[in-house]
Amino acid sequence: VFVVLFPGITAAVMGYMMNKGYAPSKVLLGGTVASIASSVLSMALTSVLVGISTMDQLGEMFQQIIDMQVRIYEGMGADTYQIEEVRKNLEAITQAALMVIPAAVVLSSAFLTYLNYVIAIRVLNRIGYQTEKLPPVQHFRLSKSFLMGTFLIIALTILIKNLNIVHYETLVSNIFVIFQFIYFVQGLAVISFYMTAFRVHRLLQGIIFLFLLFNQFAFFAASVLGFLDAFINFRKLKTDG
């Protein structure tokens, strides 16, 4: 039931905003907020019905994977020291993954909302209902208010450190992941802009995009480029406040 009901909330919100003529950026923002709320409600209700929290379920699943990997190494005849090192490394990775679950929910919600919007406008345009399309990725640029918001959130995060309201390391990890990805998208837009300007072949562009996405250092470098573009505006694009 949840699989059908909660995504329907996101679709309803996006449909309402599109029908009212909201700008694509606002439709995406509204859809993302609705999607996040739907995900949180779904996890909360599932936890109530199952009697165990979603985080505990994920923790148990990861622990089973760790135990399976350890058994494989034991079967290969690895010594006790190697097995313990493998277990420690896997537990550290698991802990890091569990810490950024909230960020994963936010980013996956944003991605699915974007995907739904792209599909929706294509379907609507095919049946003769004209809707405003998203601008090309190379013209994407964050507003100045978002940049100021970034510094405000960083400042508030630092202030929260001594209040013990939430787990500080978890908060920092999630904020870092979210902002890194957002500025990565802007960095990707800058790179796409110049590759288009220099007429780089589409196949090569695709290879470069995949490299940026899956190489950790390249991903971070593109995020830094996006952050710098928020200040310098390499492409000389007009930006809303």
Side-chain angles (χ1 to χ4, degrees):
V1 177
F2 299 153
V3 175
V4 176
L5 176 61
F6 292 119
I9 296 174
T10 306
V13 170
M14 293 179 67
Y16 173 80
M17 295 182 73
M18 291 172 69
N19 188 51
K20 290 294 183 179
Y22 283 89
S25 58
K26 292 183 178 180
V27 175
L28 289 176
L29 178 59
T32 299
V33 172
S35 181
I36 292 170
S38 298
S39 297
V40 172
L41 283 171
S42 178
M43 288 188 291
L45 288 176
T46 300
S47 297
V48 170
L49 292 175
V50 175
I52 181 173
S53 72
T54 302
M55 294 298 291
D56 289 340
Q57 292 179 54
L58 289 172
E60 289 182 4
M61 182 185 71
F62 280 127
Q63 188 59 53
Q64 291 174 3
I65 294 173
I66 291 173
D67 293 339
M68 186 184 302
Q69 290 294 319
V70 168
R71 285 196 295 271
I72 290 173
Y73 275 87
E74 289 174 342
M76 294 170 59
D79 58 44
T80 304
Y81 175 78
Q82 289 178 319
I83 292 173
E84 283 304 310
E85 284 297 306
V86 169
R87 183 184 291 277
K88 287 180 181 179
N89 290 335
L90 290 174
E91 287 177 347
I93 293 172
T94 296
Q95 186 63 32
L98 289 173
M99 283 178 65
V100 295
I101 290 294
V105 170
V106 172
L107 294 177
S108 61
S109 296
F111 175 75
L112 291 174
T113 300
Y114 171 80
L115 193 62
N116 287 333
Y117 186 83
V118 170
I119 294 172
I121 59 175
R122 288 191 177 184
V123 172
L124 290 171
N125 288 336
R126 280 183 176 274
I127 62 177
Y129 186 87
Q130 295 301 314
T131 56
E132 187 177 354
K133 294 182 179 180
L134 290 168
V137 64
Q138 58 263 35
H139 292 156
F140 170 79
R141 189 166 191 268
L142 297 166
S143 65
K144 294 178 182 178
S145 57
F146 184 88
L147 180 63
M148 296 304 297
T150 301
F151 288 111
L152 177 61
I153 290 174
I154 291 173
L156 290 173
T157 302
I158 294 172
L159 291 174
I160 288 173
K161 182 176 182 180
N162 297 320
L163 298 179
N164 295 322
I165 300 174
V166 295
H167 190 269
Y168 184 70
E169 290 183 4
T170 301
L171 179 64
V172 170
S173 297
N174 282 279
I175 289 175
F176 176 78
V177 169
I178 291 172
F179 278 123
Q180 184 183 23
F181 188 84
I182 292 172
Y183 284 109
F184 167 78
V185 173
Q186 178 147 313
L188 203 63
V190 175
I191 295 168
S192 176
F193 179 88
Y194 285 105
M195 287 198 297
T196 301
F198 288 103
R199 298 182 179 179
V200 176
H201 194 278
R202 285 187 176 274
L203 177 60
L204 181 57
Q205 288 189 36
I207 293 172
I208 292 173
F209 287 153
L210 288 174
F211 175 74
L212 292 171
L213 186 61
F214 292 106
N215 182 277
Q216 187 175 2
F217 177 78
F219 188 97
F220 179 75
S223 301
V224 172
L225 175 63
F227 184 72
L228 292 176
D229 183 62
F231 286 98
I232 301 171
N233 192 3
F234 296 113
R235 296 162 290 168
K236 308 302 179 184
L237 300 176
K238 292 183 179 180
T239 308
D240 297 331

